[in-house]
Amino acid sequence: MPPDAAPLIGRWIDHFKCEFKISRNRNSKFGDYRPPFGGKGHRISVNYDLNVYAFLVTTVHEFAHLHTWNQHQHKVKPHGTEWKENFKKMMQPFFEKDVFPADVKQAIVAYLSNPGASSCTDLNLYRSLRKYDAPKPDAVTVEKLPFKAVFKLKDGRVFRKEEQLRKRFKCIELATRRVYLFSPVAEVELVREAS
Ligand SMILES: [Zn+2]
């Protein structure tokens, strides 16, 4: 994470008595929070391969879950108003320390004024965070591919990009001719420009 942010996160780990784990990459999520259960205390894990800003935003997101759980346990929704208030409050010290570049800060402020389900579901926040990832030579997002481009997933399945339907892109799996909807920011590998 940005070095200026680390001392405060360290204090939170101590203060909340949280087991903080840096995890392998999970495509389905950036991080997660588990409340005390079966003799174990608070547990937070964050993926190891996030860039420093995405790592910090995810960490604060999960600590906001912890704090909300301490206050309300299971009585409130995971990303309800109580969580949103805590997330907002807990981001403030990092704004005061100026740890974020201007574009990331702006995207976070916009997200805070209307936070959705997670850092993953706000496409603008996600795009501005992803800009700071180390470039991956073969990876490209579906929205950046030309129309009718053929691309492949990590598991080897091959698709052709079709038109955009609302937010997502219609894509056809070549082997089965079945239609799938892809998030614009899904990471794929380009096979060829058009078929
Ligand atoms: Zn969450």
Side-chain angles (χ1 to χ4, degrees), residues 29 44-45 87 89 112 114 133 154 164 166 172 175:
K29 55 186 174 185
I44 286 174
S45 67
F87 186 46
K89 231 186 308 179
L112 288 175
N114 183 25
D133 285 352
K154 272 192 199 131
Q164 189 166 14
R166 297 167 60 85
I172 295 174

Side-chain angles (χ1 to χ4, degrees), residues 19-23 26 29-34 43-47 58 62:
E19 185 184 310
F20 187 82
K21 191 172 134 193
I22 294 168
S23 157
R26 294 158 295 185
K29 55 186 174 185
F30 291 158
D32 97 339
Y33 165 67
R34 279 187 274 171
R43 281 171 294 166
I44 286 174
S45 67
V46 179
N47 291 3
T58 303
E62 304 306 341

Side-chain angles (χ1 to χ4, degrees), residues 61-62 65 79 117-118:
H61 177 114
E62 304 306 341
H65 280 306
H79 299 99
S118 75

Side-chain angles (χ1 to χ4, degrees), residues 2-117:
D4 284 349
L8 183 54
I9 297 297
R11 285 204 293 278
W12 285 359
I13 291 171
D14 288 342
H15 174 78
F16 291 114
K17 298 192 170 35
C18 174
E19 185 184 310
F20 187 82
K21 191 172 134 193
I22 294 168
S23 157
R24 69 185 166 81
N25 166 281
R26 294 158 295 185
N27 275 327
S28 57
K29 55 186 174 185
F30 291 158
D32 97 339
Y33 165 67
R34 279 187 274 171
F37 180 75
K40 296 200 174 187
H42 299 288
R43 281 171 294 166
I44 286 174
S45 67
V46 179
N47 291 3
Y48 82 100
D49 60 345
L50 302 175
N51 70 58
V52 294
Y53 306 116
F55 189 94
L56 180 58
V57 170
T58 303
T59 299
V60 177
H61 177 114
E62 304 306 341
F63 269 103
H65 280 306
L66 185 161
H67 193 34
T68 307
W69 194 89
N70 275 348
Q71 293 169 323
H72 307 282
Q73 287 79 47
H74 295 297
K75 293 193 288 279
V76 298
K77 286 198 191 124
H79 299 99
T81 42
E82 297 80 8
W83 174 82
K84 284 172 194 168
E85 279 311 306
N86 284 332
F87 186 46
K88 218 182 259 191
K89 231 186 308 179
M90 293 168 95
M91 283 308 296
Q92 289 315 312
F94 304 103
F95 286 154
E96 283 160 23
K97 284 186 206 299
D98 243 346
V99 301
F100 296 108
D103 60 333
V104 173
K105 184 177 176 181
Q106 210 178 11
I108 298 171
V109 169
Y111 176 70
L112 288 175
S113 67
N114 183 25

Side-chain angles (χ1 to χ4, degrees), residues 151-167:
F151 64 88
K152 115 181 149 186
L153 299 185
K154 272 192 199 131
D155 66 8
R157 292 156 74 201
V158 179
F159 298 82
R160 190 176 63 229
K161 177 179 173 180
E162 303 289 332
E163 68 269 26
Q164 189 166 14
L165 305 169
R166 297 167 60 85
K167 271 186 186 169

